[in-house]
Amino acid sequence: MQNSLQPVLVLLAAAVLVVVVFRLLKLPPLLGYLIVGVLIGPHALGWVTSTEEVRNLAEIGVVFLMFSIGLEFSLSRLVTMRRIVFGLGAAQVLVTLLLVLGVAVAVGVSWQAGIVLGGALAMSSTAILAKLLAERFELNSPHGRQIIGVLLFQDIAVVPLLILIPALSAPPEDLLPTLGFAVVKAAVVLTVLLFVGQRMMRAWFHVVAGQKSSELFVLNVLLVTLGVAYMTEMAGLSLALGAFVAGVLISETEYRYQVEEDIKPFRDVLLGLFFVTIGMLLDVRVVVDNAWVSVLLVTLVLVKTALIFGLSRLFGASSGVALRAGLALGACGEFGFVILAHAANSGLMAPDVLQPVLAAMVLSMLIAPFVIERSEAIVRRWSATEWMSRAMQLHNIAVQSMATNEHVLICGYGRSGQNLARFLEREAVPFIALDNDPQRIREATAAGERVVFGDAARREVLLAAGLARARVVIVTYADTPSALRILALVQEARPGLPIVVRTLDDSDVEKLRNAGATEVVADLMEASLMLASSTLMLVGVPLTRVLRRIRETREHRYELFRGFFRGITDDADSDDQALQPRLHSVLVTAGAKAIGRQLLELDLALAGVEVTAVRRRHVRTTTPAPEMRIEEGDVVVLLGSETAVAAAEMKLLQG
């Protein structure tokens, strides 16, 4: 037991440490996993060798990755983006594969290995790019849509490649029969699973969900994922392909989003271990001693970037959009490692070929975030039309806003922004709206609405939209980092200009107010106000008193609603729960150090904690006086962050 557990413990300890560092540096944890594998693997420190236990964990990680891809598989999404997915995406994968195949055969590598290398090098990192695009608010930008469309086809292309790899390892004389049999077998298995399994899956999930047990639901998801994967492996196909099919089956049911949440912890942990094992395959000495690795890295990134740039231009994109897409997709991705791992297990890849390619792929992923960070400067320097298109964009915004004065500047034209615009139109209040979703812009402008394309978090866009003449700025989307950037820009250009900001809850109200927001509208708080006002009127409270209560609550920045008692289901809502205000009840037991002491003496406010109520012998006192003395049996209600509340509880009970 000790020998089998030791490598897993080393993997977990190293992964936790490095991922913490990478999160502090705001870099993708995926890169941290790769570096962990390089450092602790047999080619470096040698703390972990590729044992059977480690390989099994990595294989299950790939299973959950493919399951997640299947879960996100959507025919409607494919139809909407069909030109990018099946046009640009298909062209990128096929041309890259054929190009690598030709080079591989020219240098003496077998054509079977050439196909595998082409498929692996054609992939880009969905995990890295989706995260970076979301953080930079570029998912709906023209280049963002191109990148996501290409990534979508790459994810789909993995499935036939996983079917093809085992057949390619067959002897040359048996290749065609083996390949034909594999295709027929895959078609039969997939047809049975998708058409017969669809009805069975929905019915079975109804039965499981009807038991209303979260533990049972999670167990069922694990059973379905691993069970279907096992069935496809028994049929001579891969575990990963079966997991993809399981995801597709569940994606068409109403339980898709619940399954996605339940599976996420397993997927992320096991997928992290998979990337650690990939890093373990890399021999650092190959990178240091073999100059061809550097040549291969530079050639790979430049050629792939140029190829995607050229194809994107052929499909009608501007040079700026094409270059941004090429720079983002130039590096390799996680599915490339999946393909290489399957090829290595099938004996298709010789170590002297695998090592340099693997090294170049890992290094390309390590530099990918830095390339994307500098992509804007690169595009402006090398794209002759970029300055012109940016100038035209600003010109269009300026033309729209030129005739307006004392107007409302709406940042974001989603549902909230459009509803606000309708109110303003009713009152004949001039406004101009900014949004960066091209499809939304097309629909709205066709209907004659005053909305223009532009990122409100950019200074030149705000100025072109008439910030100098605006009466008020409204940020209608609930994104605190973006809102803070807009607040800083407005404070710099127009200090004192009223700004209303939307947020989800009360956690960022003070932060936004301190940054210069005149009013902060919190979705959950306003919903609570509407719920409370409707209830009060239904039970007979006069309308004037209800309106006064609502006004007082808003004037006091939702103080009445600050914090709430959290349950198990609330802990998974966000990554920063420890920083959110929460209510916590502490029973003062016999021997507690706080007994007989005044609240004032305890200095709980210094720890960032507020006493909101004290319950004593069934009598609840809200906002207790600082001179109130604590007695045995009191229940003290604390408000503060998780760590502050824990420290305050210890102070109450232990001194």
Side-chain angles (χ1 to χ4, degrees), residues 206-252:
H206 278 317
V207 173
V208 173
Q211 309 310 308
K212 301 187 183 303
S213 168
S214 57
E215 295 88 352
L216 179 61
F217 194 85
V218 173
L219 283 173
N220 182 59
V221 172
L222 294 174
L223 173 64
V224 169
T225 307
L226 299 176
V228 176
Y230 179 75
M231 288 169 59
T232 55
E233 188 184 42
M234 289 297 97
L237 303 172
S238 67
L239 285 170
L241 179 60
F244 174 81
V245 172
V248 172
L249 290 175
I250 296 175
S251 71
E252 297 301 322

Side-chain angles (χ1 to χ4, degrees), residues 100 104 107 109 113-114 116-122 278 281-283 286-287 290 292-294 296-297 300 332 336-337 340 349-365:
V100 174
V107 298
V109 178
V116 172
L117 286 173
L121 296 178
I278 292 298
L281 295 175
L282 178 62
D283 190 345
V286 172
V287 180
N290 194 340
W292 283 106
V293 173
S294 300
L296 184 58
L297 171 64
L300 167 66
C332 294
F337 297 126
L340 286 184
M349 297 292 296
D352 59 338
V353 175
L354 179 64
Q355 277 298 325
V357 173
L358 188 65
M361 289 173 63
V362 172
L363 292 174
S364 74
M365 290 183 70

Side-chain angles (χ1 to χ4, degrees), residues 414-417 474-480 483 500-505 512 519-523:
R415 190 167 187 172
S416 297
I474 314 292
V475 181
T476 65
Y477 52 91
D479 189 293
T480 299
V500 181
V501 178
R502 177 185 163 211
T503 186
L504 289 177
D505 53 34
L512 291 165
E519 294 291 341
V520 180
V521 179
D523 288 0

Side-chain angles (χ1 to χ4, degrees), residues 315-350:
F315 278 83
S318 66
S319 61
V321 170
L323 186 53
R324 286 188 182 92
L327 289 169
L329 294 165
C332 294
E334 54 270 13
F335 281 119
F337 297 126
V338 175
I339 293 169
L340 286 184
H342 277 271
N345 293 336
S346 301
L348 281 173
M349 297 292 296

Side-chain angles (χ1 to χ4, degrees), residues 547-560:
L547 293 175
R548 187 172 72 250
R549 294 293 186 201
I550 292 174
R551 186 178 66 252
E552 289 172 352
T553 303
R554 286 176 177 148
E555 286 175 352
H556 290 85
R557 303 182 184 182
Y558 308 111
E559 188 173 328
L560 183 64

Side-chain angles (χ1 to χ4, degrees), residues 303-622:
V303 170
K304 197 172 173 185
T305 299
L307 175 64
I308 294 168
F309 172 80
L311 290 173
S312 184
R313 291 285 286 156
L314 283 176
F315 278 83
S318 66
S319 61
V321 170
L323 186 53
R324 286 188 182 92
L327 289 169
L329 294 165
C332 294
E334 54 270 13
F335 281 119
F337 297 126
V338 175
I339 293 169
L340 286 184
H342 277 271
N345 293 336
S346 301
L348 281 173
M349 297 292 296
D352 59 338
V353 175
L354 179 64
Q355 277 298 325
V357 173
L358 188 65
M361 289 173 63
V362 172
L363 292 174
S364 74
M365 290 183 70
L366 290 175
I367 66 172
F370 305 102
V371 172
I372 294 172
E373 191 68 31
R374 297 292 303 163
S375 62
E376 198 65 29
I378 296 171
V379 169
R380 290 186 181 183
R381 179 178 177 84
W382 294 103
S383 175
T385 61
E386 181 61 21
W387 283 106
M388 183 63 71
S389 62
R390 183 63 58 86
M392 285 296 295
Q393 181 192 80
L394 296 176
H395 173 73
N396 291 336
I397 297 172
V399 167
Q400 289 285 337
S401 67
M402 195 175 296
T404 58
N405 195 34
E406 293 289 309
H407 59 285
V408 176
L409 180 51
I410 302 174
C411 302
Y413 205 62
R415 190 167 187 172
S416 297
Q418 292 171 42
N419 290 338
L420 171 61
R422 289 165 191 151
F423 269 96
L424 295 175
E425 283 180 339
R426 286 285 180 93
E427 298 297 326
V429 176
F431 71 89
I432 185 167
L434 296 168
D435 199 276
N436 59 3
D437 188 322
Q439 182 176 344
R440 185 181 294 151
I441 300 293
R442 283 195 299 272
E443 294 277 353
T445 52
E449 301 191 14
R450 292 181 60 81
V451 55
V452 290
F453 183 85
D455 183 359
R458 301 181 69 90
R459 185 175 185 275
E460 63 269 23
V461 171
L462 288 173
L463 292 176
L467 178 63
R469 306 184 305 277
R471 185 188 300 181
V472 63
V473 174
I474 314 292
V475 181
T476 65
Y477 52 91
D479 189 293
T480 299
S482 179
L484 289 172
R485 283 200 292 273
I486 294 172
L487 286 166
L489 293 170
V490 174
Q491 289 295 316
E492 179 186 347
R494 285 279 309 275
L497 181 67
I499 311 170
V500 181
V501 178
R502 177 185 163 211
T503 186
L504 289 177
D505 53 34
D506 60 334
S507 57
D508 292 324
V509 170
E510 289 300 322
K511 185 189 301 182
L512 291 165
R513 288 227 180 226
N514 293 336
T518 311
E519 294 291 341
V520 180
V521 179
D523 288 0
L524 289 177
M525 302 300 104
E526 287 298 318
S528 300
L529 275 177
M530 293 300 99
L531 187 64
S533 62
S534 298
T535 305
L536 290 174
M537 286 189 289
L538 287 173
V539 298
V541 178
L543 177 61
T544 54
R545 193 186 305 172
V546 172
L547 293 175
R548 187 172 72 250
R549 294 293 186 201
I550 292 174
R551 186 178 66 252
E552 289 172 352
T553 303
R554 286 176 177 148
E555 286 175 352
H556 290 85
R557 303 182 184 182
Y558 308 111
E559 188 173 328
L560 183 64
F561 296 153
R562 286 178 63 202
F564 64 98
F565 296 104
R566 296 181 184 269
I568 296 172
T569 56
D570 297 311
D571 291 337
D573 287 345
S574 65
D575 295 332
D576 58 346
Q577 285 295 325
L579 303 176
Q580 304 296 325
R582 62 183 61 215
L583 291 172
H584 179 56
S585 300
V586 179
L587 174 64
V588 180
T589 55
K593 299 296 184 183
I595 294 176
R597 299 176 65 184
Q598 295 180 345
L599 290 174
L600 186 64
E601 299 175 42
L602 296 172
D603 286 332
L604 296 179
L606 293 178
V609 172
E610 178 185 339
V611 178
T612 63
V614 174
R615 180 172 175 266
R616 178 176 295 169
R617 290 185 289 277
H618 306 294
V619 177
R620 185 171 182 267
T621 303
T622 57

